[in-house]
mmCIF file of all heavy atoms in Angstrom:
data_model
loop_
_atom_site.group_PDB
_atom_site.id
_atom_site.type_symbol
_atom_site.label_atom_id
_atom_site.label_comp_id
_atom_site.label_asym_id
_atom_site.label_seq_id
_atom_site.Cartn_x
_atom_site.Cartn_y
_atom_site.Cartn_z
ATOM 1 N N VAL A 148 50.721 -131.586 -133.655
ATOM 2 C CA VAL A 148 50.570 -131.888 -132.161
ATOM 3 C C VAL A 148 50.035 -133.246 -131.861
ATOM 4 O O VAL A 148 50.185 -133.733 -130.716
ATOM 5 C CB VAL A 148 49.717 -130.802 -131.506
ATOM 6 C CG1 VAL A 148 48.262 -131.003 -131.908
ATOM 7 C CG2 VAL A 148 49.932 -130.704 -130.034
ATOM 8 N N THR A 149 49.515 -133.976 -132.817
ATOM 9 C CA THR A 149 48.826 -135.339 -132.583
ATOM 10 C C THR A 149 49.744 -136.413 -132.812
ATOM 11 O O THR A 149 50.119 -136.772 -134.068
ATOM 12 C CB THR A 149 47.500 -135.419 -133.435
ATOM 13 O OG1 THR A 149 46.727 -134.284 -133.140
ATOM 14 C CG2 THR A 149 46.833 -136.664 -133.077
ATOM 15 N N PRO A 150 50.241 -137.266 -131.962
ATOM 16 C CA PRO A 150 51.305 -138.208 -132.112
ATOM 17 C C PRO A 150 50.782 -139.277 -133.143
ATOM 18 O O PRO A 150 51.602 -139.703 -134.020
ATOM 19 C CB PRO A 150 51.568 -138.816 -130.782
ATOM 20 C CG PRO A 150 51.288 -137.775 -129.759
ATOM 21 C CD PRO A 150 50.025 -136.970 -130.478
ATOM 22 N N VAL A 151 49.587 -139.748 -133.123
ATOM 23 C CA VAL A 151 49.216 -140.821 -133.946
ATOM 24 C C VAL A 151 49.278 -140.295 -135.467
ATOM 25 O O VAL A 151 49.514 -141.141 -136.412
ATOM 26 C CB VAL A 151 47.727 -141.309 -133.620
ATOM 27 C CG1 VAL A 151 46.654 -140.294 -133.956
ATOM 28 C CG2 VAL A 151 47.447 -142.593 -134.330
ATOM 29 N N LEU A 152 48.935 -139.063 -135.730
ATOM 30 C CA LEU A 152 49.066 -138.524 -137.091
ATOM 31 C C LEU A 152 50.426 -138.564 -137.568
ATOM 32 O O LEU A 152 50.751 -138.850 -138.736
ATOM 33 C CB LEU A 152 48.379 -137.159 -137.251
ATOM 34 C CG LEU A 152 46.951 -137.127 -136.860
ATOM 35 C CD1 LEU A 152 46.443 -135.657 -137.018
ATOM 36 C CD2 LEU A 152 46.173 -138.060 -137.707
ATOM 37 N N ILE A 153 51.396 -138.150 -136.647
ATOM 38 C CA ILE A 153 52.908 -138.159 -137.028
ATOM 39 C C ILE A 153 53.276 -139.644 -137.282
ATOM 40 O O ILE A 153 54.109 -139.853 -138.238
ATOM 41 C CB ILE A 153 53.650 -137.489 -135.978
ATOM 42 C CG1 ILE A 153 53.403 -136.047 -135.907
ATOM 43 C CG2 ILE A 153 55.113 -137.717 -136.166
ATOM 44 C CD1 ILE A 153 53.671 -135.240 -137.184
ATOM 45 N N GLU A 154 52.781 -140.531 -136.566
ATOM 46 C CA GLU A 154 53.194 -141.964 -136.740
ATOM 47 C C GLU A 154 52.709 -142.445 -138.106
ATOM 48 O O GLU A 154 53.372 -143.108 -138.821
ATOM 49 C CB GLU A 154 52.540 -142.833 -135.638
ATOM 50 C CG GLU A 154 53.149 -142.639 -134.284
ATOM 51 C CD GLU A 154 52.379 -143.350 -133.202
ATOM 52 O OE1 GLU A 154 51.491 -144.086 -133.456
ATOM 53 O OE2 GLU A 154 52.681 -143.057 -132.020
ATOM 54 N N GLN A 155 51.473 -142.049 -138.550
ATOM 55 C CA GLN A 155 51.018 -142.352 -139.803
ATOM 56 C C GLN A 155 51.805 -141.736 -140.968
ATOM 57 O O GLN A 155 52.143 -142.411 -141.906
ATOM 58 C CB GLN A 155 49.394 -141.934 -139.973
ATOM 59 C CG GLN A 155 48.555 -142.659 -139.022
ATOM 60 C CD GLN A 155 47.074 -142.281 -139.142
ATOM 61 O OE1 GLN A 155 46.769 -141.457 -139.992
ATOM 62 N NE2 GLN A 155 46.303 -142.584 -138.089
ATOM 63 N N ALA A 156 52.174 -140.466 -140.706
ATOM 64 C CA ALA A 156 53.032 -139.886 -141.757
ATOM 65 C C ALA A 156 54.330 -140.477 -141.845
ATOM 66 O O ALA A 156 54.875 -140.759 -142.999
ATOM 67 C CB ALA A 156 53.230 -138.339 -141.392
ATOM 68 N N GLN A 157 54.989 -140.866 -140.751
ATOM 69 C CA GLN A 157 56.233 -141.563 -140.717
ATOM 70 C C GLN A 157 56.127 -142.872 -141.485
ATOM 71 O O GLN A 157 57.064 -143.275 -142.294
ATOM 72 C CB GLN A 157 56.856 -141.740 -139.350
ATOM 73 C CG GLN A 157 57.166 -140.379 -138.665
ATOM 74 C CD GLN A 157 57.468 -140.485 -137.173
ATOM 75 O OE1 GLN A 157 56.947 -141.383 -136.489
ATOM 76 N NE2 GLN A 157 58.318 -139.605 -136.648
ATOM 77 N N GLU A 158 55.093 -143.576 -141.263
ATOM 78 C CA GLU A 158 54.937 -144.850 -141.964
ATOM 79 C C GLU A 158 54.715 -144.693 -143.394
ATOM 80 O O GLU A 158 55.269 -145.534 -144.187
ATOM 81 C CB GLU A 158 53.705 -145.630 -141.360
ATOM 82 C CG GLU A 158 53.289 -146.905 -141.966
ATOM 83 C CD GLU A 158 54.489 -147.856 -141.920
ATOM 84 O OE1 GLU A 158 55.341 -147.935 -140.964
ATOM 85 O OE2 GLU A 158 54.662 -148.616 -142.988
ATOM 86 N N LYS A 159 54.015 -143.632 -143.736
ATOM 87 C CA LYS A 159 53.900 -143.296 -145.277
ATOM 88 C C LYS A 159 55.186 -143.104 -145.886
ATOM 89 O O LYS A 159 55.428 -143.500 -146.958
ATOM 90 C CB LYS A 159 52.985 -142.192 -145.448
ATOM 91 C CG LYS A 159 51.434 -142.419 -145.230
ATOM 92 C CD LYS A 159 50.739 -141.145 -145.653
ATOM 93 C CE LYS A 159 49.219 -141.300 -145.453
ATOM 94 N NZ LYS A 159 48.494 -140.000 -145.672
ATOM 95 N N ALA A 160 56.024 -142.350 -145.145
ATOM 96 C CA ALA A 160 57.368 -141.998 -145.635
ATOM 97 C C ALA A 160 58.138 -143.324 -145.872
ATOM 98 O O ALA A 160 58.856 -143.451 -146.870
ATOM 99 C CB ALA A 160 58.044 -141.017 -144.726
ATOM 100 N N ARG A 161 58.164 -144.207 -144.880
ATOM 101 C CA ARG A 161 58.919 -145.431 -144.860
ATOM 102 C C ARG A 161 58.334 -146.349 -146.133
ATOM 103 O O ARG A 161 59.147 -146.869 -146.935
ATOM 104 C CB ARG A 161 58.887 -146.187 -143.631
ATOM 105 C CG ARG A 161 59.715 -145.541 -142.529
ATOM 106 C CD ARG A 161 59.726 -146.467 -141.344
ATOM 107 N NE ARG A 161 58.515 -146.702 -140.605
ATOM 108 C CZ ARG A 161 58.004 -145.956 -139.643
ATOM 109 N NH1 ARG A 161 58.818 -144.910 -139.156
ATOM 110 N NH2 ARG A 161 56.795 -146.192 -139.115
ATOM 111 N N ALA A 162 57.035 -146.419 -146.143
ATOM 112 C CA ALA A 162 56.409 -147.307 -147.200
ATOM 113 C C ALA A 162 56.722 -146.876 -148.539
ATOM 114 O O ALA A 162 56.832 -147.724 -149.491
ATOM 115 C CB ALA A 162 54.867 -147.393 -146.832
ATOM 116 N N ASN A 163 56.813 -145.550 -148.773
ATOM 117 C CA ASN A 163 56.967 -145.039 -150.030
ATOM 118 C C ASN A 163 58.476 -144.536 -150.337
ATOM 119 O O ASN A 163 58.787 -143.939 -151.399
ATOM 120 C CB ASN A 163 56.095 -143.844 -150.365
ATOM 121 C CG ASN A 163 54.649 -144.363 -150.374
ATOM 122 O OD1 ASN A 163 54.166 -144.810 -151.386
ATOM 123 N ND2 ASN A 163 53.909 -144.141 -149.278
ATOM 124 N N SER A 164 59.380 -144.908 -149.403
ATOM 125 C CA SER A 164 60.810 -144.591 -149.572
ATOM 126 C C SER A 164 61.065 -143.107 -149.819
ATOM 127 O O SER A 164 61.846 -142.670 -150.695
ATOM 128 C CB SER A 164 61.485 -145.376 -150.603
ATOM 129 O OG SER A 164 61.308 -146.809 -150.385
ATOM 130 N N VAL A 165 60.280 -142.279 -149.087
ATOM 131 C CA VAL A 165 60.526 -140.757 -149.263
ATOM 132 C C VAL A 165 61.704 -140.388 -148.358
ATOM 133 O O VAL A 165 61.532 -140.377 -147.147
ATOM 134 C CB VAL A 165 59.239 -139.978 -148.881
ATOM 135 C CG1 VAL A 165 59.431 -138.532 -148.981
ATOM 136 C CG2 VAL A 165 58.048 -140.561 -149.763
ATOM 137 N N GLN A 166 62.708 -139.993 -148.925
ATOM 138 C CA GLN A 166 64.003 -139.707 -148.231
ATOM 139 C C GLN A 166 64.100 -138.165 -147.767
ATOM 140 O O GLN A 166 64.845 -137.956 -146.827
ATOM 141 C CB GLN A 166 65.240 -140.000 -149.122
ATOM 142 C CG GLN A 166 65.182 -141.460 -149.555
ATOM 143 C CD GLN A 166 65.399 -142.510 -148.452
ATOM 144 O OE1 GLN A 166 66.066 -142.173 -147.482
ATOM 145 N NE2 GLN A 166 64.591 -143.579 -148.499
ATOM 146 N N ASN A 167 63.360 -137.376 -148.418
ATOM 147 C CA ASN A 167 63.540 -135.926 -148.092
ATOM 148 C C ASN A 167 62.402 -135.333 -147.266
ATOM 149 O O ASN A 167 62.188 -134.070 -147.230
ATOM 150 C CB ASN A 167 63.746 -135.077 -149.392
ATOM 151 C CG ASN A 167 62.572 -135.201 -150.340
ATOM 152 O OD1 ASN A 167 61.855 -136.166 -150.329
ATOM 153 N ND2 ASN A 167 62.353 -134.123 -151.039
ATOM 154 N N ALA A 168 61.625 -136.159 -146.548
ATOM 155 C CA ALA A 168 60.561 -135.715 -145.696
ATOM 156 C C ALA A 168 60.784 -136.404 -144.320
ATOM 157 O O ALA A 168 61.024 -137.628 -144.218
ATOM 158 C CB ALA A 168 59.212 -136.090 -146.243
ATOM 159 N N SER A 169 60.593 -135.664 -143.285
ATOM 160 C CA SER A 169 60.751 -136.141 -141.942
ATOM 161 C C SER A 169 59.621 -135.445 -141.121
ATOM 162 O O SER A 169 59.019 -134.449 -141.492
ATOM 163 C CB SER A 169 62.011 -135.817 -141.298
ATOM 164 O OG SER A 169 62.309 -134.450 -141.185
ATOM 165 N N PHE A 170 59.354 -136.068 -139.984
ATOM 166 C CA PHE A 170 58.155 -135.671 -139.190
ATOM 167 C C PHE A 170 58.438 -135.507 -137.613
ATOM 168 O O PHE A 170 59.256 -136.419 -137.130
ATOM 169 C CB PHE A 170 56.947 -136.529 -139.466
ATOM 170 C CG PHE A 170 56.518 -136.558 -140.799
ATOM 171 C CD1 PHE A 170 57.101 -137.526 -141.762
ATOM 172 C CD2 PHE A 170 55.664 -135.705 -141.356
ATOM 173 C CE1 PHE A 170 56.693 -137.503 -143.088
ATOM 174 C CE2 PHE A 170 55.256 -135.712 -142.696
ATOM 175 C CZ PHE A 170 55.659 -136.566 -143.569
ATOM 176 N N GLY A 171 57.763 -134.704 -136.946
ATOM 177 C CA GLY A 171 58.004 -134.650 -135.488
ATOM 178 C C GLY A 171 56.680 -134.133 -134.795
ATOM 179 O O GLY A 171 55.923 -133.427 -135.405
ATOM 180 N N VAL A 172 56.537 -134.505 -133.594
ATOM 181 C CA VAL A 172 55.354 -134.011 -132.801
ATOM 182 C C VAL A 172 55.750 -132.740 -132.133
ATOM 183 O O VAL A 172 56.547 -132.597 -131.268
ATOM 184 C CB VAL A 172 55.025 -135.097 -131.621
ATOM 185 C CG1 VAL A 172 53.873 -134.572 -130.817
ATOM 186 C CG2 VAL A 172 54.724 -136.415 -132.287
ATOM 187 N N MET A 173 55.023 -131.629 -132.553
ATOM 188 C CA MET A 173 55.192 -130.298 -132.051
ATOM 189 C C MET A 173 53.867 -129.518 -132.199
ATOM 190 O O MET A 173 53.123 -129.768 -133.078
ATOM 191 C CB MET A 173 56.272 -129.546 -132.797
ATOM 192 C CG MET A 173 57.665 -130.089 -132.645
ATOM 193 S SD MET A 173 58.880 -128.935 -133.517
ATOM 194 C CE MET A 173 60.101 -130.158 -134.058
ATOM 195 N N SER A 174 53.668 -128.566 -131.341
ATOM 196 C CA SER A 174 52.607 -127.703 -131.421
ATOM 197 C C SER A 174 52.990 -126.527 -132.343
ATOM 198 O O SER A 174 54.113 -126.026 -132.103
ATOM 199 C CB SER A 174 52.128 -127.278 -130.064
ATOM 200 O OG SER A 174 51.078 -126.273 -130.171
ATOM 201 N N VAL A 175 52.052 -126.009 -133.107
ATOM 202 C CA VAL A 175 52.399 -124.818 -133.874
ATOM 203 C C VAL A 175 52.642 -123.543 -133.034
ATOM 204 O O VAL A 175 53.320 -122.591 -133.546
ATOM 205 C CB VAL A 175 51.274 -124.463 -134.995
ATOM 206 C CG1 VAL A 175 51.075 -125.596 -135.929
ATOM 207 C CG2 VAL A 175 49.905 -124.172 -134.205
ATOM 208 N N ASP A 176 52.189 -123.549 -131.817
ATOM 209 C CA ASP A 176 52.408 -122.404 -130.948
ATOM 210 C C ASP A 176 53.572 -122.617 -129.958
ATOM 211 O O ASP A 176 53.777 -121.802 -129.161
ATOM 212 C CB ASP A 176 51.075 -121.985 -130.232
ATOM 213 C CG ASP A 176 50.476 -123.111 -129.456
ATOM 214 O OD1 ASP A 176 51.155 -124.167 -129.219
ATOM 215 O OD2 ASP A 176 49.229 -122.979 -129.133
ATOM 216 N N GLN A 177 54.267 -123.689 -130.105
ATOM 217 C CA GLN A 177 55.455 -123.967 -129.312
ATOM 218 C C GLN A 177 56.339 -124.914 -129.991
ATOM 219 O O GLN A 177 56.495 -126.024 -129.599
ATOM 220 C CB GLN A 177 55.079 -124.506 -127.916
ATOM 221 C CG GLN A 177 56.144 -124.530 -126.896
ATOM 222 C CD GLN A 177 55.555 -124.861 -125.450
ATOM 223 O OE1 GLN A 177 54.471 -125.236 -125.343
ATOM 224 N NE2 GLN A 177 56.525 -124.810 -124.520
ATOM 225 N N LEU A 178 57.065 -124.293 -130.971
ATOM 226 C CA LEU A 178 57.867 -125.198 -131.848
ATOM 227 C C LEU A 178 59.244 -125.391 -131.157
ATOM 228 O O LEU A 178 59.880 -124.465 -130.651
ATOM 229 C CB LEU A 178 58.127 -124.383 -133.149
ATOM 230 C CG LEU A 178 56.894 -124.175 -134.002
ATOM 231 C CD1 LEU A 178 57.137 -123.273 -135.216
ATOM 232 C CD2 LEU A 178 56.356 -125.561 -134.478
ATOM 233 N N GLU A 179 59.648 -126.569 -131.219
ATOM 234 C CA GLU A 179 61.001 -127.056 -130.612
ATOM 235 C C GLU A 179 62.037 -126.931 -131.728
ATOM 236 O O GLU A 179 62.679 -128.021 -132.088
ATOM 237 C CB GLU A 179 60.941 -128.420 -130.055
ATOM 238 C CG GLU A 179 59.893 -128.537 -128.842
ATOM 239 C CD GLU A 179 59.645 -129.910 -128.460
ATOM 240 O OE1 GLU A 179 60.410 -130.824 -128.802
ATOM 241 O OE2 GLU A 179 58.508 -130.181 -127.885
ATOM 242 N N LEU A 180 62.211 -125.715 -132.241
ATOM 243 C CA LEU A 180 63.208 -125.512 -133.332
ATOM 244 C C LEU A 180 64.020 -124.297 -133.017
ATOM 245 O O LEU A 180 63.591 -123.407 -132.270
ATOM 246 C CB LEU A 180 62.409 -125.313 -134.617
ATOM 247 C CG LEU A 180 61.523 -126.459 -135.142
ATOM 248 C CD1 LEU A 180 60.658 -125.982 -136.287
ATOM 249 C CD2 LEU A 180 62.401 -127.641 -135.573
ATOM 250 N N GLU A 181 65.232 -124.294 -133.603
ATOM 251 C CA GLU A 181 66.059 -123.199 -133.417
ATOM 252 C C GLU A 181 65.631 -121.986 -134.134
ATOM 253 O O GLU A 181 64.932 -121.956 -135.056
ATOM 254 C CB GLU A 181 67.487 -123.458 -133.905
ATOM 255 C CG GLU A 181 68.139 -124.627 -133.186
ATOM 256 C CD GLU A 181 68.573 -124.332 -131.770
ATOM 257 O OE1 GLU A 181 68.784 -123.082 -131.503
ATOM 258 O OE2 GLU A 181 68.416 -125.183 -130.903
ATOM 259 N N ASP A 182 65.981 -120.704 -133.522
ATOM 260 C CA ASP A 182 65.653 -119.495 -134.132
ATOM 261 C C ASP A 182 66.328 -119.429 -135.616
ATOM 262 O O ASP A 182 67.414 -119.940 -135.864
ATOM 263 C CB ASP A 182 66.271 -118.299 -133.453
ATOM 264 C CG ASP A 182 65.619 -118.131 -132.029
ATOM 265 O OD1 ASP A 182 64.656 -118.863 -131.752
ATOM 266 O OD2 ASP A 182 66.073 -117.233 -131.231
#
């Protein structure tokens, strides 16, 4: 739910060329994901 943490995670993924991890800003009690 915290945007700055997701930004840090995304930067880590880019810096370490992690291709199979992605990140998004969402609350655990209101997920913007399909059933």
